[in-house]
Amino acid sequence: RGASLTDLAEKIGVDPAALVQVLFHLGEMVTATQSVADETLQVLGAELNYDIEVVSPEDEDRELLESFDIEFGENEGGEEELAARPPVVTVMGHVDHGKTKLLDALRKSNVAGGEAGGITQSIGAYQVATEVDDQERKITFIDTPGHEAFTAMRARGAKSTDIAVLVVAADDGVMPQTIEALNHAQAADLPIVVAVNKIDKEGADPTKVRGQLTEYGLVPEEYGGDTIFVDVSAITGVGLDELLEAIVLTADAALDLRANPEMDAQGVAIEAHLDKGRGPVATVLVQRGTLHVGDSIVAGPAHGRVRALLNDSGENVTEAPPSMPVQVLGLTAVPGAGDSFIVVDDDRTARQIADKREARARMAAQAAGARRKTLDQLFEQLEKGETQELLLILKGDSSGSVEALEDALSKIDVGDEVSLRVIDRGVGAITETNVSLAAASNAVIIGYNVRAQGKATEMADRQGVDIRYYSVIYAAIDEIEAALKGMLKPIY
Ligand code: GDP
């Protein structure tokens, strides 16, 4: 995963657009936010007289863990320590092709342990059992469908999934997001099983789906390829057992899924939230080792001692072996989806690792803060003639006040050199959407008798977006007019 020109621009304190231009002159056309190869960054660095060493956050974290003698991602011991583990599956496909319905149907039809009635609520993943060649085999499903969540986790360095089930509705056929999902699965090197869904529907044409996907390199077994296509209906339940069998067969044929069940557990957090009564609750997927109640654990920046483990039916369990998803109670904070978790020797080690991670996150946030392009700096640039246009997003407590503000702003006369443009306006609190637009377009947000909502302030801090609050229209107008006229003294 490469960094983007925006990342580099932030690090060396230049305008991302300038980097885009330099690269363009070197013969490469990329956008500011697109991720580029490390070599490209190095070439760019050389051009600008910077010596660039690309250290990924994952590498940084690996070094941190190594300093505690912990290796993340490796099974301890040799071959003889390894035991088979169930495959972990993500369901992907075009919207409305039946991903959610299919996950529901699979879960209801075949919950591991058998008590299908006991399901309370989803913990983000579940296991089902199926019989293949007279053997009971388990499969773990991540039950947030879609490639977005999967790819977001992957972007954080987490490998959460072994196999992708690509759901294609037989009446609709291959659609744009089908291909997108396919690309994401292939980018992650995942073997694919195709579930041709909705075969109960009139107009269903499963043969056509096979033909369409063949063009994208997914050739059905029956045509001599190596992709298993299974016709299913999430509504009637037809084909669900065959789908489970296909997943097991694909895992056996394409993957060597084994893990050491004896070591201290490691894995990935796939969902987490703050529960009013229980505190931070994280669903983790154990990837190696066995997680026990009482273990000292670090998950991203959170740590703690495992107070309780709950399985996908909401029952207390004392341990979780490889590929089993469990809810963990006892963490001090809420980790992010895609954060790794590790069990360590004692609480002290857990706390130290968590503290170091937090300190690093704080430093990164501070560095971002130092790069903040505030209104003051924009004013400075206006003064120096570096910026010709001040972009604003207006939020107010009523449509009347927003109109009045915009109207008054449009009457500011500052001549031809500089201009002011309102790129968005609205009634109500300042939202994260407002902040992301401001960040993307380098605009300043004006809040008139409204405040920022939820995480908007935090996000603005992180992304270097300036939010200015006013309760009197003329105060807003005066300050902006002064800025545009280059008369405002920067305030630090
Ligand atoms: P998602 O967006 O891919 O998660 O799709 P959903 O699971 O929400 O399904 C979209 C719609 O298709 C819903 O109205 C489902 O009831 C319907 N649907 C899903 N699977 C089937 C199926 O096998 N047969 C029929 N007839 N309808 C289905």
Side-chain angles (χ1 to χ4, degrees):
R1 155 174 92 106
S4 71
L5 294 187
T6 305
D7 297 333
L8 176 62
E10 281 188 359
K11 285 249 165 18
I12 61 179
V14 301
D15 185 356
L19 296 185
V20 172
Q21 267 187 2
V22 174
L23 260 195
F24 181 77
H25 288 299
L26 292 173
E28 256 198 81
M29 215 148 65
V30 296
T31 64
T33 51
Q34 181 183 340
S35 65
V36 296
D38 292 354
E39 297 78 59
T40 307
L41 292 179
Q42 270 145 357
V43 168
L44 192 53
E47 186 72 20
L48 300 170
N49 281 326
Y50 280 94
D51 192 9
I52 291 179
E53 190 189 343
V54 183
V55 186
S56 69
E58 293 90 69
D59 285 344
E60 233 175 338
D61 203 60
R62 191 167 307 122
E63 272 172 32
L64 169 64
L65 293 179
E66 273 167 12
S67 72
F68 286 89
D69 248 346
I70 298 164
E71 214 173 337
F72 181 78
E74 300 296 328
N75 280 295
E76 284 168 14
E79 284 280 307
E80 63 283 3
E81 318 285 339
L82 300 177
R85 66 166 179 84
V88 180
V89 177
T90 294
V91 173
M92 306 180 182
H94 194 76
V95 65
D96 277 347
H97 279 198
K99 299 180 291 293
T100 310
K101 204 84 196 165
L102 188 63
L103 280 162
D104 284 350
L106 288 168
R107 176 174 185 153
K108 287 205 189 82
S109 74
N110 217 326
V111 174
E115 19 50 282
I119 300 159
T120 42
Q121 76 194 67
S122 158
I123 64 166
Y126 62 82
Q127 270 187 330
V128 301
T130 188
E131 204 150 288
V132 178
D133 293 338
D134 292 331
Q135 273 192 329
E136 195 195 63
R137 302 285 299 267
K138 285 180 181 165
I139 301 172
T140 303
F141 286 93
I142 307 269
D143 77 2
T144 334
H147 58 265
E148 292 85 1
F150 161 78
T151 300
M153 275 206 254
R154 208 162 78 84
R156 306 185 68 161
K159 189 176 180 335
S160 56
T161 301
D162 302 309
I163 292 180
V165 167
L166 184 63
V167 179
V168 188
D171 57 337
D172 223 11
V174 168
M175 297 296 276
Q177 283 171 45
T178 312
I179 301 309
E180 208 175 294
L182 175 61
N183 289 337
H184 282 261
Q186 284 175 337
D189 267 335
L190 301 183
I192 294 167
V193 173
V194 180
V196 182
N197 191 31
K198 305 198 187 184
I199 54 155
D200 61 291
K201 278 185 89 167
E202 211 175 306
D205 190 349
T207 310
K208 185 170 142 208
V209 173
R210 283 167 172 73
Q212 287 177 322
L213 283 177
T214 298
E215 287 177 34
Y216 289 93
L218 285 187
V219 184
E221 277 192 324
E222 58 264 45
Y223 299 176
D226 51 16
T227 303
I228 308 184
F229 282 60
V230 187
D231 293 343
V232 302
S233 167
I235 299 278
T236 67
V238 166
L240 297 186
D241 286 335
E242 288 78 2
L243 178 60
L244 295 176
E245 184 175 352
I247 291 166
V248 170
L249 295 178
T250 300
D252 290 350
L255 303 164
D256 176 25
L257 299 179
R258 293 183 298 162
N260 177 354
E262 302 300 334
M263 58 185 274
D264 283 340
Q266 298 188 344
V268 59
I270 54 177
E271 197 269 352
H273 64 274
L274 191 62
D275 183 278
K276 268 210 193 96
R278 301 182 297 171
V281 177
T283 297
V284 302
L285 182 65
V286 177
Q287 295 177 312
R288 292 163 292 281
T290 297
L291 182 61
H292 307 89
V293 171
D295 281 346
S296 300
I297 183 174
V298 197
H303 68 100
R305 169 101 54 113
V306 177
R307 192 170 75 228
L309 293 175
L310 302 170
N311 69 9
D312 53 11
S313 304
E315 301 156 337
N316 276 288
V317 292
T318 53
E319 56 177 42
S323 292
M324 179 166 167
V326 272
Q327 271 190 334
V328 174
L329 308 191
L331 287 170
T332 51
V334 179
D339 276 346
S340 65
F341 85 83
I342 41 172
V343 166
V344 296
D345 288 344
D346 47 45
D347 294 351
R348 193 167 146 264
T349 310
R351 197 181 53 243
Q352 283 175 341
I353 294 172
D355 285 352
K356 287 230 159 92
R357 281 182 176 160
E358 212 187 290
R360 216 171 42 205
R362 212 170 31 238
M363 257 164 55
Q366 264 168 13
R371 294 188 297 264
R372 274 181 68 172
K373 180 165 272 182
T374 63
L375 187 53
D376 300 327
Q377 287 166 336
L378 280 175
F379 290 163
E380 250 191 300
Q381 291 184 334
L382 283 170
E383 261 183 274
K384 290 193 207 139
E386 286 168 8
T387 300
Q388 312 299 324
E389 194 174 47
L390 178 60
L391 302 182
L392 296 175
I393 293 174
L394 308 181
K395 292 302 289 275
D397 55 348
S398 70
S399 54
S401 64
V402 175
E403 265 171 45
L405 185 60
E406 186 166 358
D407 193 46
L409 286 170
S410 72
K411 295 206 173 94
I412 298 178
D413 179 15
V414 283
D416 297 338
E417 267 100 278
V418 291
S419 64
L420 178 151
R421 189 151 60 94
V422 176
I423 58 169
D424 194 18
R425 80 268 308 143
V427 177
I430 294 160
T431 63
E432 291 172 51
T433 312
N434 298 141
V435 174
S436 64
L437 176 63
S441 39
N442 225 343
V444 172
I445 300 177
I446 304 290
Y448 178 69
N449 281 331
V450 294
R451 312 299 300 177
Q453 182 185 61
K455 293 219 167 76
T457 303
E458 194 185 312
M459 187 174 156
D461 281 345
R462 211 172 46 237
Q463 306 204 351
V465 170
D466 197 11
I467 304 180
R468 297 253 158 166
Y469 298 104
Y470 301 95
S471 53
V472 186
I473 284 199
Y474 288 103
I477 302 301
D478 281 353
E479 201 166 312
I480 291 162
E481 182 168 1
L484 287 171
K485 288 181 173 162
M487 296 190 320
L488 189 87
K489 294 274 166 293
I491 310 155
Y492 292 104

